[in-house]
Each structure stands twice: as C-alpha cells, then as structure tokens.
Amino acid sequence: MRFDKIQGALDVLGVAVAVNVLLAVTAAPLIAVVVFTDAFALWPLVALTAVLAAPGLTAAFTVFAAPQEKVFRTFWRGYRATWRRASAIAAGAVLIAVVLVVDVRFFADTAFAQAAMVVLVVTGLLVAGTALLGLAAIAEHPGIRLREAIGRGAWFGVRRWFLTAVSLVVLVVYAAAFVTLPLLALSVLASPVLYLAWTNSRYTLHPAAPLADVRA
C-alpha cells in the first residue's frame, strides 16, 4: 500500500514535469519576449506570442483529463485537435484587451474616469473568464464549434461568476510570478496552477444544462 502511494505520487510528479516542459516549448516565443526584452515596450509582440501560446493551454487541459495516458502523445493530440479554435479565442480576447487598454488611457483624464474604469475592468474580467472557459470547453469537447464554446464560456462564466473569479485570481497571481520569477513559475508552478484553473473551469462548465442548449 505504501509503495502504491509512493508510485502514485511519482506518477503525478512525472506528469507535472512533462507538462511544464511541453508548455515551455509551445510558449517559447512568449517566454523569450517576457524574459529577454522590455515586454511593456514591445506589447504588440507580447500580444502576438500570447495567442501562439494559447493552444498549449488546451493541450495541457487534455493531459489533465487523461493522466493515465502517455503525456507527450496526449499533449500533442490535444494540441493538433484544438490549436485553430484555441488561437481564435486567444486572438479575440487579446484584441479586446488591447482595445480596453486604449480606452483606459483615453478615459483616465476625463470627468467620468471612475465610472469608465469600473465598466472597463468588469468587461475585461468577463472577456478573460469567457476565454478561459472557452479553452476548457474546447479541450474537453474537441469537436465543439467555436461559437458554441464561446457561448458556453460566456453563459456559465457569468452564471457561476464566483468560480470563474477563483480561476482568474490564481492565473493573475501566476502571471505576476512569471514576470518576476520566470524560472520558478515555469519549472514548478505551471502545472499546479493550470490544473487548478482547469479543474475549476471544468466544474463551472458542468451544471445541469446540456451543452447543446447553450448557444453563442
């Protein structure tokens, strides 16, 4: 019994390490921009490489859903099955984020700056939550249509906002860790953080309503 527990812990550790390595490979352009350049000055490049890194997230979610299978094979299978739709969701979210940042700068010096900031922040959170849940939906249902994944993410992201908020807070904390301590974030934190976000998102997407009833 004790050996089984040790073996199980080693298996989990092996999956986590393998996923971290694969995420580093698929997100290499984003990592290079953040670590080796002034990311704030080169924000268009950060936006582009973030889109390129998105399919790695859905591939990691695919591995988490089937931890008993071969990690590398499962990861690349998930990557091939989801990269187009994952990239499309990420591109849409990044584009909206850029527009929101421009709006923040525009409204910052106006008389109604406070009210505008609240609206913009809430919009940003809704977009981020929808994108995350859309990626989780694609990973779990590789055949799902893009509109249906986005619609499902938007509907349940708002309906179960408290769960979505937990995932977003965890990811924001991870992003801060990645910017300040990229090596630690990549080698140790990536798999646990994404697993938590995936588990929470999967639970968010599984209330009583069937998938076909939720449309964009």
Side-chain angles (χ1 to χ4, degrees), residues 9-10 23 31 33 36 49 53 70 82 95-96 101 105 108 118 126 128 136 145 147 157 160 172 181 190-191 206 211:
L10 290 176
L23 285 170
I31 295 168
V33 172
F36 299 112
T49 53
K70 299 289 186 180
T82 63
L95 180 61
I96 295 174
V101 170
R105 292 183 176 181
V118 172
L126 290 174
R145 292 180 300 174
R147 287 182 57 194
R160 313 187 85 183
V172 167
L181 299 168
S191 287
H206 279 274
L211 178 65

Side-chain angles (χ1 to χ4, degrees), residues 4-70:
D4 291 341
K5 290 182 179 179
I6 294 174
Q7 184 62 47
L10 290 176
D11 290 342
V12 170
L13 180 61
V15 171
V17 171
V19 170
N20 286 347
V21 171
L22 290 166
L23 285 170
V25 171
T26 54
L30 176 61
I31 295 168
V33 172
V34 173
V35 174
F36 299 112
T37 70
D38 183 352
F40 291 100
L42 297 176
W43 66 263
L45 193 56
V46 173
L48 175 61
T49 53
V51 173
L52 297 177
L57 299 182
T58 52
F61 293 165
T62 304
V63 173
F64 296 150
Q68 71 283 357
E69 298 182 11
K70 299 289 186 180

Side-chain angles (χ1 to χ4, degrees), residues 124-149:
L125 293 174
L126 290 174
V127 171
T130 298
L132 175 62
L133 292 172
L135 293 175
I138 288 172
E140 186 165 358
H141 304 281
I144 189 175
R145 292 180 300 174
L146 181 61
R147 287 182 57 194
E148 198 164 10

Side-chain angles (χ1 to χ4, degrees), residues 90-142:
V94 167
L95 180 61
I96 295 174
V98 170
V99 172
L100 291 176
V101 170
V102 172
D103 288 344
V104 166
R105 292 183 176 181
F106 176 80
F107 288 110
D109 298 324
T110 63
F112 43 91
Q114 249 184 337
M117 295 306 164
V118 172
V119 172
L120 293 173
V121 169
V122 171
T123 302
L125 293 174
L126 290 174
V127 171
T130 298
L132 175 62
L133 292 172
L135 293 175
I138 288 172
E140 186 165 358
H141 304 281

Side-chain angles (χ1 to χ4, degrees), residues 113-201:
Q114 249 184 337
M117 295 306 164
V118 172
V119 172
L120 293 173
V121 169
V122 171
T123 302
L125 293 174
L126 290 174
V127 171
T130 298
L132 175 62
L133 292 172
L135 293 175
I138 288 172
E140 186 165 358
H141 304 281
I144 189 175
R145 292 180 300 174
L146 181 61
R147 287 182 57 194
E148 198 164 10
I150 295 172
R152 186 172 173 82
W155 176 263
F156 290 119
V158 173
R159 186 177 179 182
R160 313 187 85 183
W161 62 268
F162 46 94
L163 295 174
T164 307
V166 171
S167 295
L168 293 180
V169 168
V170 170
L171 291 175
V172 167
V173 172
Y174 176 75
F178 176 74
V179 172
T180 55
L181 299 168
L183 184 60
L184 175 66
L186 287 171
S187 61
V188 178
L189 301 178
S191 287
V193 166
L194 291 180
Y195 183 82
L196 192 154
W198 168 77
T199 303
N200 199 36
S201 297

